[in-house]
Every structure is written in structure tokens, then in C-alpha cells.
Amino acid sequence: MEKEFLLSDESLNSHQTIVKTDGIDISRFLMNPVMYYNHDRGRGVIGRWANVHVREGKLYGTPVFDENHELGKEVARQVRDGFIKAASIGIEIISQQGNIIVKCELKEVSICDIPANSNALQLYFNDSAISHAQYMSKTKSYEQVERSHLAQIRKALDLPENADMAAIVGAVEELSVYRSEKPD
């Protein structure tokens, strides 16, 4: 089972609008909760959303990927491996007051690389659900530590500084084969 995403909250998004959570009509969406990649309908439905609900003024949902769809399978892997962590709602505006979208209908929710709402993320750290503020704090410090450890691992394996994870895994696999072939 995939981890839940924060799909929308009432923060100012990159379109300079605020979508009121209590004004999002999800009733029609729930009958067919489609997931696209980057709002690209032409590439097909890559999955669906389960457990779509409002909690504490925020909209949440859990992705279920169609792994028989080639793009769905690839995006699922990228989400599981932490390369993509964002979602974005696709809405039809019904009423708006200034920059506040008071009423809208949810049409689709996409997994995406850059969400309009910067808070629309899969908010987990070490497999535990956390708040957006905790997420930002923990991931920044974790990424710094991770970079430091990766540098040490590259050095220990005698790999160049720009060696990617595939090169690191390959070097470890070589050591593993060498170790298993080495007589006791």
C-alpha cells in the first residue's frame, strides 16, 4: 500500500490563488478518482486515488498505481523510491472572490514533479507521517547527512565523486560476488 499524500490545503499556490478546502466538491471525483501524471490526460490514467478525505481543513488521498500501464509502473517506482513526492489537484472553478477559489469541482489529481501548491506532498519521514513543517526540517537535514554518507561510501569504494546510486550498487554487488567466491 502506498503512503498518503496531502493533496490540497489553503495555502497560496503558484497561480497566486487559495483553494478553500471546504469548497472543493469531491462527490463526482469519488465516482472515478483518476490519477494522471502532470495533468497530462493524453498519456492516460496512471492510477486512481483511494481514501480521499478532508482532515483538519486539508484534502488527503492515497495513490493506487496502475502497474499494467507502463507510465503508471514507472511513476509508482519513482514515488516509492522518493524521486517524486508531489501531487496536484485539477479543478473546475465554480466561484471565486479575488484570489480565493470559494467553490470548485475536483476533476482529477495528478502525481507531479512541481505542484502548484508547494505543500501538496507525500509527508513521511522514515515511514512515519509528519507535518509539512516537520517534513521540511527533517528532509533538509537528512539530505545533508545523506550527501555526506554518500561521499564516504564513494570514497570507500574508490568511485568518482559524481558516481550515481547505480554505480554504488554495482560496486557493492562486485564486492559481494568477490566475497562469495573467496575461499575461506
PDB file of all heavy atoms in Angstrom, residues 97-112:
ATOM      1  N   GLN A  97     -13.619  34.661  -5.313  1.00  0.00           N
ATOM      2  CA  GLN A  97     -13.666  36.023  -4.794  1.00  0.00           C
ATOM      3  C   GLN A  97     -12.229  36.514  -4.697  1.00  0.00           C
ATOM      4  O   GLN A  97     -11.474  36.078  -3.827  1.00  0.00           O
ATOM      5  CB  GLN A  97     -14.343  36.067  -3.423  1.00  0.00           C
ATOM      6  CG  GLN A  97     -15.798  35.677  -3.461  1.00  0.00           C
ATOM      7  CD  GLN A  97     -16.415  35.585  -2.071  1.00  0.00           C
ATOM      8  OE1 GLN A  97     -15.718  35.618  -1.061  1.00  0.00           O
ATOM      9  NE2 GLN A  97     -17.727  35.463  -2.031  1.00  0.00           N
ATOM     10  N   GLY A  98     -11.846  37.382  -5.625  1.00  0.00           N
ATOM     11  CA  GLY A  98     -10.453  37.829  -5.684  1.00  0.00           C
ATOM     12  C   GLY A  98      -9.566  36.647  -6.028  1.00  0.00           C
ATOM     13  O   GLY A  98      -9.807  35.941  -6.993  1.00  0.00           O
ATOM     14  N   ASN A  99      -8.560  36.416  -5.183  1.00  0.00           N
ATOM     15  CA  ASN A  99      -7.675  35.278  -5.449  1.00  0.00           C
ATOM     16  C   ASN A  99      -8.073  34.027  -4.663  1.00  0.00           C
ATOM     17  O   ASN A  99      -7.332  33.051  -4.622  1.00  0.00           O
ATOM     18  CB  ASN A  99      -6.217  35.654  -5.153  1.00  0.00           C
ATOM     19  CG  ASN A  99      -5.932  35.783  -3.669  1.00  0.00           C
ATOM     20  OD1 ASN A  99      -6.820  36.100  -2.875  1.00  0.00           O
ATOM     21  ND2 ASN A  99      -4.696  35.540  -3.292  1.00  0.00           N
ATOM     22  N   ILE A 100      -9.258  34.052  -4.057  1.00  0.00           N
ATOM     23  CA  ILE A 100      -9.726  32.902  -3.276  1.00  0.00           C
ATOM     24  C   ILE A 100     -10.765  32.125  -4.086  1.00  0.00           C
ATOM     25  O   ILE A 100     -11.807  32.666  -4.475  1.00  0.00           O
ATOM     26  CB  ILE A 100     -10.313  33.340  -1.923  1.00  0.00           C
ATOM     27  CG1 ILE A 100      -9.213  34.031  -1.100  1.00  0.00           C
ATOM     28  CG2 ILE A 100     -10.890  32.140  -1.170  1.00  0.00           C
ATOM     29  CD1 ILE A 100      -9.687  34.630   0.192  1.00  0.00           C
ATOM     30  N   ILE A 101     -10.447  30.857  -4.337  1.00  0.00           N
ATOM     31  CA  ILE A 101     -11.403  29.967  -5.009  1.00  0.00           C
ATOM     32  C   ILE A 101     -12.313  29.416  -3.927  1.00  0.00           C
ATOM     33  O   ILE A 101     -11.897  28.599  -3.094  1.00  0.00           O
ATOM     34  CB  ILE A 101     -10.669  28.852  -5.782  1.00  0.00           C
ATOM     35  CG1 ILE A 101      -9.795  29.492  -6.870  1.00  0.00           C
ATOM     36  CG2 ILE A 101     -11.662  27.856  -6.365  1.00  0.00           C
ATOM     37  CD1 ILE A 101      -8.868  28.548  -7.576  1.00  0.00           C
ATOM     38  N   VAL A 102     -13.547  29.910  -3.939  1.00  0.00           N
ATOM     39  CA  VAL A 102     -14.502  29.590  -2.888  1.00  0.00           C
ATOM     40  C   VAL A 102     -15.166  28.243  -3.144  1.00  0.00           C
ATOM     41  O   VAL A 102     -15.372  27.451  -2.230  1.00  0.00           O
ATOM     42  CB  VAL A 102     -15.566  30.701  -2.769  1.00  0.00           C
ATOM     43  CG1 VAL A 102     -16.585  30.385  -1.691  1.00  0.00           C
ATOM     44  CG2 VAL A 102     -14.897  32.040  -2.490  1.00  0.00           C
ATOM     45  N   LYS A 103     -15.510  27.970  -4.412  1.00  0.00           N
ATOM     46  CA  LYS A 103     -16.137  26.700  -4.780  1.00  0.00           C
ATOM     47  C   LYS A 103     -15.505  26.199  -6.066  1.00  0.00           C
ATOM     48  O   LYS A 103     -15.270  26.963  -6.996  1.00  0.00           O
ATOM     49  CB  LYS A 103     -17.639  26.865  -4.979  1.00  0.00           C
ATOM     50  CG  LYS A 103     -18.419  27.096  -3.710  1.00  0.00           C
ATOM     51  CD  LYS A 103     -19.913  26.880  -3.960  1.00  0.00           C
ATOM     52  CE  LYS A 103     -20.712  27.069  -2.705  1.00  0.00           C
ATOM     53  NZ  LYS A 103     -20.515  26.039  -1.720  1.00  0.00           N
ATOM     54  N   CYS A 104     -15.273  24.896  -6.084  1.00  0.00           N
ATOM     55  CA  CYS A 104     -14.729  24.268  -7.282  1.00  0.00           C
ATOM     56  C   CYS A 104     -15.112  22.793  -7.280  1.00  0.00           C
ATOM     57  O   CYS A 104     -15.530  22.252  -6.250  1.00  0.00           O
ATOM     58  CB  CYS A 104     -13.221  24.434  -7.366  1.00  0.00           C
ATOM     59  SG  CYS A 104     -12.315  23.637  -6.028  1.00  0.00           S
ATOM     60  N   GLU A 105     -14.948  22.179  -8.434  1.00  0.00           N
ATOM     61  CA  GLU A 105     -15.181  20.744  -8.540  1.00  0.00           C
ATOM     62  C   GLU A 105     -13.844  20.072  -8.828  1.00  0.00           C
ATOM     63  O   GLU A 105     -13.122  20.491  -9.729  1.00  0.00           O
ATOM     64  CB  GLU A 105     -16.168  20.431  -9.663  1.00  0.00           C
ATOM     65  CG  GLU A 105     -16.456  18.943  -9.778  1.00  0.00           C
ATOM     66  CD  GLU A 105     -17.446  18.597 -10.888  1.00  0.00           C
ATOM     67  OE1 GLU A 105     -17.952  19.503 -11.572  1.00  0.00           O
ATOM     68  OE2 GLU A 105     -17.691  17.394 -11.065  1.00  0.00           O
ATOM     69  N   LEU A 106     -13.521  19.038  -8.053  1.00  0.00           N
ATOM     70  CA  LEU A 106     -12.298  18.280  -8.270  1.00  0.00           C
ATOM     71  C   LEU A 106     -12.511  17.371  -9.472  1.00  0.00           C
ATOM     72  O   LEU A 106     -13.443  16.566  -9.498  1.00  0.00           O
ATOM     73  CB  LEU A 106     -11.956  17.456  -7.028  1.00  0.00           C
ATOM     74  CG  LEU A 106     -10.650  16.674  -7.052  1.00  0.00           C
ATOM     75  CD1 LEU A 106      -9.444  17.599  -7.216  1.00  0.00           C
ATOM     76  CD2 LEU A 106     -10.504  15.841  -5.777  1.00  0.00           C
ATOM     77  N   LYS A 107     -11.651  17.516 -10.485  1.00  0.00           N
ATOM     78  CA  LYS A 107     -11.762  16.723 -11.712  1.00  0.00           C
ATOM     79  C   LYS A 107     -10.777  15.560 -11.715  1.00  0.00           C
ATOM     80  O   LYS A 107     -11.098  14.473 -12.186  1.00  0.00           O
ATOM     81  CB  LYS A 107     -11.498  17.594 -12.948  1.00  0.00           C
ATOM     82  CG  LYS A 107     -12.517  18.679 -13.153  1.00  0.00           C
ATOM     83  CD  LYS A 107     -13.833  18.072 -13.527  1.00  0.00           C
ATOM     84  CE  LYS A 107     -14.809  19.132 -13.980  1.00  0.00           C
ATOM     85  NZ  LYS A 107     -16.062  18.579 -14.439  1.00  0.00           N
ATOM     86  N   GLU A 108      -9.555  15.823 -11.266  1.00  0.00           N
ATOM     87  CA  GLU A 108      -8.512  14.793 -11.230  1.00  0.00           C
ATOM     88  C   GLU A 108      -7.431  15.235 -10.265  1.00  0.00           C
ATOM     89  O   GLU A 108      -7.366  16.382  -9.874  1.00  0.00           O
ATOM     90  CB  GLU A 108      -7.922  14.540 -12.629  1.00  0.00           C
ATOM     91  CG  GLU A 108      -7.353  15.768 -13.321  1.00  0.00           C
ATOM     92  CD  GLU A 108      -5.891  16.059 -13.042  1.00  0.00           C
ATOM     93  OE1 GLU A 108      -5.168  15.213 -12.480  1.00  0.00           O
ATOM     94  OE2 GLU A 108      -5.449  17.154 -13.386  1.00  0.00           O
ATOM     95  N   VAL A 109      -6.588  14.282  -9.891  1.00  0.00           N
ATOM     96  CA  VAL A 109      -5.422  14.588  -9.081  1.00  0.00           C
ATOM     97  C   VAL A 109      -4.238  13.910  -9.754  1.00  0.00           C
ATOM     98  O   VAL A 109      -4.285  12.714 -10.053  1.00  0.00           O
ATOM     99  CB  VAL A 109      -5.553  14.094  -7.622  1.00  0.00           C
ATOM    100  CG1 VAL A 109      -4.305  14.434  -6.825  1.00  0.00           C
ATOM    101  CG2 VAL A 109      -6.785  14.697  -6.955  1.00  0.00           C
ATOM    102  N   SER A 110      -3.201  14.680 -10.011  1.00  0.00           N
ATOM    103  CA  SER A 110      -2.016  14.169 -10.689  1.00  0.00           C
ATOM    104  C   SER A 110      -0.846  13.999  -9.732  1.00  0.00           C
ATOM    105  O   SER A 110      -0.675  14.787  -8.809  1.00  0.00           O
ATOM    106  CB  SER A 110      -1.577  15.137 -11.790  1.00  0.00           C
ATOM    107  OG  SER A 110      -2.445  15.078 -12.890  1.00  0.00           O
ATOM    108  N   ILE A 111      -0.058  12.989 -10.001  1.00  0.00           N
ATOM    109  CA  ILE A 111       1.275  12.914  -9.416  1.00  0.00           C
ATOM    110  C   ILE A 111       2.094  13.864 -10.281  1.00  0.00           C
ATOM    111  O   ILE A 111       1.947  13.874 -11.508  1.00  0.00           O
ATOM    112  CB  ILE A 111       1.851  11.486  -9.518  1.00  0.00           C
ATOM    113  CG1 ILE A 111       1.063  10.518  -8.641  1.00  0.00           C
ATOM    114  CG2 ILE A 111       3.335  11.478  -9.148  1.00  0.00           C
ATOM    115  CD1 ILE A 111       1.217  10.731  -7.144  1.00  0.00           C
ATOM    116  N   CYS A 112       2.923  14.687  -9.678  1.00  0.00           N
ATOM    117  CA  CYS A 112       3.648  15.652 -10.495  1.00  0.00           C
ATOM    118  C   CYS A 112       5.030  15.953  -9.920  1.00  0.00           C
ATOM    119  O   CYS A 112       5.314  15.661  -8.767  1.00  0.00           O
ATOM    120  CB  CYS A 112       2.845  16.932 -10.647  1.00  0.00           C
ATOM    121  SG  CYS A 112       2.602  17.806  -9.119  1.00  0.00           S
TER     122      CYS A 112
END
